[in-house]
Amino acid sequence: MVLLLMQSNGWGKTVFHQPRAGVGLAIAMLMTFSVLSACASEQGSEGKPVGKPVGKPLVKAELERAAITDADLDGYEVEQILAAPSASRRTADPAACAPVVQATGGSSGFTAVARIGRMMSPKKGGSGTSMILASHDAGDAAKVIDALRSAAKRCKSFLDVGVGFRYDDVALRPDPGYGDESVSLRLTQLAAADADDEPVRVPYAVVAVRQGATVAMFYEFNRPRGAGDADAAAVPEDIIRTQLNKLNTLNKPGKPGKPTASK
């Protein structure tokens, strides 16, 4: 095969010429390196493929139509909660743990095209589940999941700089298999009014799911109602699957996910 090089001649014209053998070898090596570099750029910080979200980002009105309501979810009351499209400003110490503390409020360090929020409260009482739906530009939705997964792997304890609460026992759970990709984690907030008080241990659970260019972030916490530690927090599977199935009506390339949940 004869390799032809295309090069500008400096006057707006394009010329072709056949390189010498040594130059051809160097070019072939450069092309191979370029392919490898391109492949690496499509991987997350853990070496796993990030890929590009499928489909265009949903606008706010579409997210509102895709959000679950009382009629979709038996046994729960659903109400709106505030959610801004701007990137979260919550920080952590160490700084690398910021994606985890941001996820405890359903957000991330990436600006969204649109964000909306819902709170699902059991009619029989008990802890409620919050959910934030965020649509992102190409690439950012996958980066949200990758950043959270990576931070959960390396951060076992950190400080929420804004409020001064510590979090510990951060544990990345087995992948629940929702949507195009998902992350599940648990952690414990150490809440205290001041430094001299004995902190209250508040279990948290977070499940983040990417479906196309949309990220659904679910989070729940169990505040102790008396002496002793509270039970471990968990996001109900029926809430996750109901929301993903409804979102799928607008985001066709996504998939509801496997019938598994964070335990």
Short mmCIF file of all heavy atoms in Angstrom, two decimals, residues 48 99-100 103 141-153 170-186 205-210 215-219 235 240 262:
data_model
loop_
_atom_site.label_atom_id
_atom_site.label_comp_id
_atom_site.label_asym_id
_atom_site.label_seq_id
_atom_site.Cartn_x
_atom_site.Cartn_y
_atom_site.Cartn_z
N LYS A 48 -12.39 2.62 32.87
CA LYS A 48 -13.59 2.03 32.31
C LYS A 48 -14.16 2.96 31.25
O LYS A 48 -14.05 4.18 31.35
CB LYS A 48 -14.65 1.81 33.40
CG LYS A 48 -14.22 0.80 34.44
CD LYS A 48 -15.31 0.59 35.47
CE LYS A 48 -14.91 -0.45 36.50
NZ LYS A 48 -15.96 -0.67 37.50
N PRO A 99 -17.37 15.02 44.94
CA PRO A 99 -18.51 14.41 44.26
C PRO A 99 -19.42 13.62 45.19
O PRO A 99 -20.63 13.54 44.95
CB PRO A 99 -17.84 13.48 43.22
CG PRO A 99 -16.54 14.13 42.93
CD PRO A 99 -16.10 14.69 44.26
N VAL A 100 -18.87 13.05 46.26
CA VAL A 100 -19.70 12.29 47.20
C VAL A 100 -20.58 13.22 48.02
O VAL A 100 -21.78 12.99 48.16
CB VAL A 100 -18.83 11.40 48.12
CG1 VAL A 100 -19.72 10.64 49.10
CG2 VAL A 100 -18.01 10.42 47.30
N ALA A 103 -23.35 14.56 46.00
CA ALA A 103 -24.39 13.57 45.71
C ALA A 103 -25.36 13.39 46.88
O ALA A 103 -26.51 12.98 46.67
CB ALA A 103 -23.75 12.22 45.36
N ALA A 141 -22.97 13.83 31.32
CA ALA A 141 -23.76 12.87 32.10
C ALA A 141 -22.90 11.67 32.51
O ALA A 141 -22.93 11.23 33.66
CB ALA A 141 -24.98 12.40 31.30
N ALA A 142 -22.11 11.16 31.58
CA ALA A 142 -21.22 10.05 31.89
C ALA A 142 -20.14 10.47 32.88
O ALA A 142 -19.73 9.69 33.75
CB ALA A 142 -20.58 9.51 30.61
N LYS A 143 -19.68 11.71 32.76
CA LYS A 143 -18.65 12.21 33.68
C LYS A 143 -19.18 12.31 35.11
O LYS A 143 -18.43 12.12 36.07
CB LYS A 143 -18.13 13.56 33.21
CG LYS A 143 -17.32 13.49 31.92
CD LYS A 143 -16.92 14.88 31.45
CE LYS A 143 -16.19 14.82 30.12
NZ LYS A 143 -15.85 16.19 29.62
N VAL A 144 -20.46 12.64 35.27
CA VAL A 144 -21.06 12.72 36.61
C VAL A 144 -20.96 11.36 37.30
O VAL A 144 -20.54 11.25 38.46
CB VAL A 144 -22.54 13.16 36.53
CG1 VAL A 144 -23.23 13.00 37.88
CG2 VAL A 144 -22.64 14.62 36.08
N ILE A 145 -21.33 10.31 36.58
CA ILE A 145 -21.30 8.96 37.15
C ILE A 145 -19.86 8.53 37.43
O ILE A 145 -19.55 7.97 38.49
CB ILE A 145 -21.98 7.96 36.21
CG1 ILE A 145 -23.45 8.35 35.98
CG2 ILE A 145 -21.87 6.55 36.76
CD1 ILE A 145 -24.31 8.31 37.22
N ASP A 146 -18.97 8.80 36.50
CA ASP A 146 -17.58 8.40 36.66
C ASP A 146 -16.93 9.11 37.85
O ASP A 146 -16.20 8.49 38.63
CB ASP A 146 -16.80 8.71 35.38
CG ASP A 146 -15.36 8.26 35.45
OD1 ASP A 146 -15.12 7.04 35.61
OD2 ASP A 146 -14.46 9.11 35.36
N ALA A 147 -17.21 10.41 38.00
CA ALA A 147 -16.63 11.17 39.11
C ALA A 147 -17.12 10.65 40.46
O ALA A 147 -16.35 10.52 41.41
CB ALA A 147 -16.95 12.66 38.96
N LEU A 148 -18.42 10.34 40.54
CA LEU A 148 -18.98 9.83 41.80
C LEU A 148 -18.42 8.45 42.12
O LEU A 148 -18.03 8.18 43.26
CB LEU A 148 -20.51 9.77 41.69
CG LEU A 148 -21.24 9.22 42.92
CD1 LEU A 148 -20.91 10.01 44.17
CD2 LEU A 148 -22.75 9.20 42.68
N ARG A 149 -18.36 7.58 41.13
CA ARG A 149 -17.83 6.23 41.36
C ARG A 149 -16.37 6.29 41.83
O ARG A 149 -15.98 5.61 42.77
CB ARG A 149 -17.93 5.41 40.07
CG ARG A 149 -17.45 3.98 40.22
CD ARG A 149 -17.37 3.26 38.88
NE ARG A 149 -18.67 3.13 38.23
CZ ARG A 149 -19.03 3.74 37.12
NH1 ARG A 149 -18.17 4.56 36.53
NH2 ARG A 149 -20.22 3.57 36.59
N SER A 150 -15.57 7.12 41.16
CA SER A 150 -14.15 7.23 41.50
C SER A 150 -13.95 7.79 42.91
O SER A 150 -13.12 7.29 43.67
CB SER A 150 -13.43 8.12 40.48
OG SER A 150 -13.54 7.59 39.18
N ALA A 151 -14.72 8.82 43.26
CA ALA A 151 -14.59 9.43 44.59
C ALA A 151 -15.03 8.46 45.68
O ALA A 151 -14.41 8.38 46.75
CB ALA A 151 -15.41 10.71 44.66
N ALA A 152 -16.09 7.69 45.43
CA ALA A 152 -16.58 6.74 46.43
C ALA A 152 -15.57 5.62 46.68
O ALA A 152 -15.50 5.07 47.78
CB ALA A 152 -17.92 6.16 46.00
N LYS A 153 -14.78 5.29 45.65
CA LYS A 153 -13.76 4.25 45.81
C LYS A 153 -12.61 4.71 46.70
O LYS A 153 -12.07 3.92 47.48
CB LYS A 153 -13.23 3.83 44.44
CG LYS A 153 -14.15 2.92 43.66
CD LYS A 153 -13.48 2.49 42.35
CE LYS A 153 -14.36 1.51 41.59
NZ LYS A 153 -13.73 1.09 40.31
N VAL A 170 -17.81 5.46 54.20
CA VAL A 170 -18.22 5.53 52.80
C VAL A 170 -17.94 4.19 52.14
O VAL A 170 -16.82 3.67 52.20
CB VAL A 170 -17.45 6.65 52.06
CG1 VAL A 170 -17.90 6.72 50.59
CG2 VAL A 170 -17.65 7.99 52.76
N ALA A 171 -18.95 3.60 51.55
CA ALA A 171 -18.82 2.27 50.95
C ALA A 171 -19.50 2.24 49.59
O ALA A 171 -20.70 2.52 49.48
CB ALA A 171 -19.41 1.20 51.86
N LEU A 172 -18.73 1.91 48.56
CA LEU A 172 -19.29 1.72 47.23
C LEU A 172 -19.95 0.35 47.18
O LEU A 172 -19.34 -0.67 47.46
CB LEU A 172 -18.18 1.81 46.19
CG LEU A 172 -18.60 1.76 44.72
CD1 LEU A 172 -19.46 2.96 44.36
CD2 LEU A 172 -17.37 1.69 43.83
N ARG A 173 -21.22 0.34 46.83
CA ARG A 173 -21.99 -0.91 46.79
C ARG A 173 -21.85 -1.58 45.43
O ARG A 173 -21.42 -0.95 44.47
CB ARG A 173 -23.47 -0.60 47.06
CG ARG A 173 -23.74 0.23 48.30
CD ARG A 173 -23.62 -0.60 49.55
NE ARG A 173 -24.68 -1.60 49.60
CZ ARG A 173 -24.75 -2.57 50.51
NH1 ARG A 173 -23.81 -2.69 51.43
NH2 ARG A 173 -25.75 -3.41 50.51
N PRO A 174 -22.24 -2.86 45.34
CA PRO A 174 -22.23 -3.50 44.01
C PRO A 174 -23.13 -2.73 43.03
O PRO A 174 -24.16 -2.18 43.41
CB PRO A 174 -22.81 -4.89 44.31
CG PRO A 174 -22.50 -5.14 45.75
CD PRO A 174 -22.60 -3.80 46.41
N ASP A 175 -22.69 -2.69 41.79
CA ASP A 175 -23.46 -1.98 40.76
C ASP A 175 -24.86 -2.57 40.67
O ASP A 175 -25.02 -3.76 40.38
CB ASP A 175 -22.74 -2.12 39.43
CG ASP A 175 -23.38 -1.32 38.31
OD1 ASP A 175 -24.49 -0.80 38.51
OD2 ASP A 175 -22.78 -1.25 37.22
N PRO A 176 -25.91 -1.76 40.90
CA PRO A 176 -27.28 -2.29 40.83
C PRO A 176 -27.76 -2.57 39.41
O PRO A 176 -28.80 -3.19 39.23
CB PRO A 176 -28.12 -1.20 41.50
CG PRO A 176 -27.33 0.05 41.30
CD PRO A 176 -25.88 -0.35 41.34
N GLY A 177 -27.04 -2.11 38.39
CA GLY A 177 -27.39 -2.45 37.02
C GLY A 177 -28.52 -1.66 36.43
O GLY A 177 -29.17 -2.12 35.49
N TYR A 178 -28.79 -0.45 36.93
CA TYR A 178 -29.86 0.36 36.38
C TYR A 178 -29.40 1.15 35.17
O TYR A 178 -28.24 1.58 35.08
CB TYR A 178 -30.37 1.35 37.43
CG TYR A 178 -31.06 0.73 38.63
CD1 TYR A 178 -30.57 0.96 39.91
CD2 TYR A 178 -32.19 -0.06 38.48
CE1 TYR A 178 -31.21 0.41 41.02
CE2 TYR A 178 -32.82 -0.61 39.57
CZ TYR A 178 -32.33 -0.37 40.85
OH TYR A 178 -32.95 -0.92 41.93
N GLY A 179 -30.33 1.42 34.25
CA GLY A 179 -30.09 2.33 33.14
C GLY A 179 -28.88 1.96 32.31
O GLY A 179 -28.52 0.79 32.14
N ASP A 180 -28.23 2.97 31.74
CA ASP A 180 -27.02 2.76 30.95
C ASP A 180 -25.82 2.50 31.86
O ASP A 180 -24.90 1.78 31.49
CB ASP A 180 -26.75 3.97 30.05
CG ASP A 180 -27.83 4.14 29.00
OD1 ASP A 180 -28.29 3.12 28.46
OD2 ASP A 180 -28.23 5.29 28.74
N GLU A 181 -25.80 3.09 33.02
CA GLU A 181 -24.79 2.84 34.05
C GLU A 181 -25.30 3.42 35.37
O GLU A 181 -26.11 4.35 35.38
CB GLU A 181 -23.43 3.43 33.67
CG GLU A 181 -23.44 4.92 33.37
CD GLU A 181 -22.06 5.44 33.02
OE1 GLU A 181 -21.05 4.85 33.50
OE2 GLU A 181 -21.96 6.45 32.30
N SER A 182 -24.84 2.84 36.47
CA SER A 182 -25.35 3.28 37.76
C SER A 182 -24.30 3.09 38.85
O SER A 182 -23.37 2.31 38.70
CB SER A 182 -26.63 2.52 38.13
OG SER A 182 -26.42 1.11 38.08
N VAL A 183 -24.47 3.83 39.94
CA VAL A 183 -23.58 3.78 41.10
C VAL A 183 -24.44 3.78 42.36
O VAL A 183 -25.42 4.53 42.45
CB VAL A 183 -22.62 5.00 41.14
CG1 VAL A 183 -21.75 4.95 42.39
CG2 VAL A 183 -21.75 5.05 39.91
N SER A 184 -24.07 2.94 43.31
CA SER A 184 -24.77 2.89 44.59
C SER A 184 -23.75 2.98 45.72
O SER A 184 -22.71 2.31 45.67
CB SER A 184 -25.57 1.58 44.70
OG SER A 184 -26.16 1.46 45.98
N LEU A 185 -24.02 3.81 46.72
CA LEU A 185 -23.11 3.91 47.85
C LEU A 185 -23.86 4.22 49.13
O LEU A 185 -25.01 4.69 49.10
CB LEU A 185 -22.04 4.98 47.61
CG LEU A 185 -22.49 6.42 47.42
CD1 LEU A 185 -21.54 7.38 48.12
CD2 LEU A 185 -22.57 6.78 45.94
N ARG A 186 -23.20 3.91 50.22
CA ARG A 186 -23.71 4.24 51.56
C ARG A 186 -22.62 4.97 52.33
O ARG A 186 -21.43 4.74 52.09
CB ARG A 186 -24.14 2.99 52.31
CG ARG A 186 -25.43 2.37 51.82
CD ARG A 186 -25.78 1.15 52.65
NE ARG A 186 -27.04 0.54 52.20
CZ ARG A 186 -27.50 -0.63 52.64
NH1 ARG A 186 -26.79 -1.32 53.55
NH2 ARG A 186 -28.64 -1.12 52.19
N ALA A 205 -27.94 6.87 52.00
CA ALA A 205 -27.84 6.00 50.83
C ALA A 205 -28.00 6.86 49.58
O ALA A 205 -28.86 7.75 49.54
CB ALA A 205 -28.91 4.91 50.86
N VAL A 206 -27.19 6.60 48.57
CA VAL A 206 -27.23 7.34 47.31
C VAL A 206 -27.21 6.34 46.17
O VAL A 206 -26.40 5.41 46.17
CB VAL A 206 -26.04 8.31 47.17
CG1 VAL A 206 -26.07 8.99 45.79
CG2 VAL A 206 -26.05 9.36 48.28
N VAL A 207 -28.10 6.54 45.20
CA VAL A 207 -28.08 5.76 43.96
C VAL A 207 -28.15 6.76 42.81
O VAL A 207 -29.08 7.56 42.73
CB VAL A 207 -29.25 4.76 43.87
CG1 VAL A 207 -29.22 4.03 42.52
CG2 VAL A 207 -29.20 3.75 45.01
N ALA A 208 -27.15 6.71 41.93
CA ALA A 208 -27.12 7.59 40.76
C ALA A 208 -27.21 6.74 39.50
O ALA A 208 -26.51 5.73 39.38
CB ALA A 208 -25.85 8.42 40.76
N VAL A 209 -28.07 7.15 38.58
CA VAL A 209 -28.30 6.37 37.36
C VAL A 209 -28.22 7.30 36.15
O VAL A 209 -28.84 8.36 36.14
CB VAL A 209 -29.69 5.70 37.37
CG1 VAL A 209 -29.86 4.83 36.13
CG2 VAL A 209 -29.90 4.88 38.63
N ARG A 210 -27.45 6.87 35.16
CA ARG A 210 -27.45 7.60 33.88
C ARG A 210 -28.31 6.85 32.89
O ARG A 210 -28.15 5.65 32.68
CB ARG A 210 -26.04 7.75 33.31
CG ARG A 210 -26.05 8.51 31.96
CD ARG A 210 -24.67 8.72 31.41
NE ARG A 210 -24.08 7.48 30.90
CZ ARG A 210 -24.31 6.96 29.71
NH1 ARG A 210 -25.19 7.56 28.88
NH2 ARG A 210 -23.73 5.84 29.33
N VAL A 215 -29.26 12.18 34.18
CA VAL A 215 -28.82 11.52 35.41
C VAL A 215 -29.91 11.67 36.46
O VAL A 215 -30.37 12.78 36.75
CB VAL A 215 -27.51 12.13 35.94
CG1 VAL A 215 -27.15 11.53 37.31
CG2 VAL A 215 -26.37 11.89 34.96
N ALA A 216 -30.34 10.54 37.01
CA ALA A 216 -31.29 10.53 38.12
C ALA A 216 -30.51 10.23 39.38
O ALA A 216 -29.86 9.19 39.48
CB ALA A 216 -32.37 9.48 37.90
N MET A 217 -30.56 11.14 40.34
CA MET A 217 -29.83 10.98 41.60
C MET A 217 -30.84 10.81 42.72
O MET A 217 -31.63 11.72 43.02
CB MET A 217 -28.96 12.22 41.85
CG MET A 217 -27.89 12.03 42.89
SD MET A 217 -26.32 11.42 42.21
CE MET A 217 -25.69 12.84 41.32
N PHE A 218 -30.83 9.64 43.36
CA PHE A 218 -31.73 9.33 44.47
C PHE A 218 -30.93 9.31 45.77
O PHE A 218 -29.84 8.73 45.82
CB PHE A 218 -32.39 7.96 44.28
CG PHE A 218 -33.11 7.79 42.97
CD1 PHE A 218 -32.43 7.35 41.84
CD2 PHE A 218 -34.48 8.03 42.86
CE1 PHE A 218 -33.07 7.16 40.63
CE2 PHE A 218 -35.14 7.86 41.65
CZ PHE A 218 -34.44 7.42 40.54
N TYR A 219 -31.48 9.92 46.83
CA TYR A 219 -30.77 9.86 48.11
C TYR A 219 -31.77 9.83 49.25
O TYR A 219 -32.87 10.38 49.17
CB TYR A 219 -29.79 11.02 48.26
CG TYR A 219 -30.39 12.41 48.18
CD1 TYR A 219 -30.65 13.16 49.33
CD2 TYR A 219 -30.68 12.99 46.94
CE1 TYR A 219 -31.17 14.44 49.25
CE2 TYR A 219 -31.21 14.27 46.85
CZ TYR A 219 -31.45 14.99 48.02
OH TYR A 219 -31.99 16.26 47.93
N VAL A 235 -32.48 3.25 49.32
CA VAL A 235 -33.43 3.84 48.38
C VAL A 235 -34.35 2.73 47.88
O VAL A 235 -33.87 1.73 47.34
CB VAL A 235 -32.70 4.50 47.20
CG1 VAL A 235 -33.71 5.07 46.20
CG2 VAL A 235 -31.75 5.59 47.69
N ILE A 240 -37.05 3.82 42.22
CA ILE A 240 -36.05 3.90 41.15
C ILE A 240 -36.61 3.37 39.84
O ILE A 240 -36.55 4.03 38.80
CB ILE A 240 -34.78 3.13 41.54
CG1 ILE A 240 -34.13 3.75 42.78
CG2 ILE A 240 -33.78 3.14 40.37
CD1 ILE A 240 -32.95 2.95 43.32
N SER A 262 -30.19 -1.57 45.54
CA SER A 262 -29.28 -1.46 46.67
C SER A 262 -29.94 -2.06 47.91
O SER A 262 -31.05 -1.70 48.25
CB SER A 262 -28.94 0.01 46.90
OG SER A 262 -28.19 0.17 48.06
#
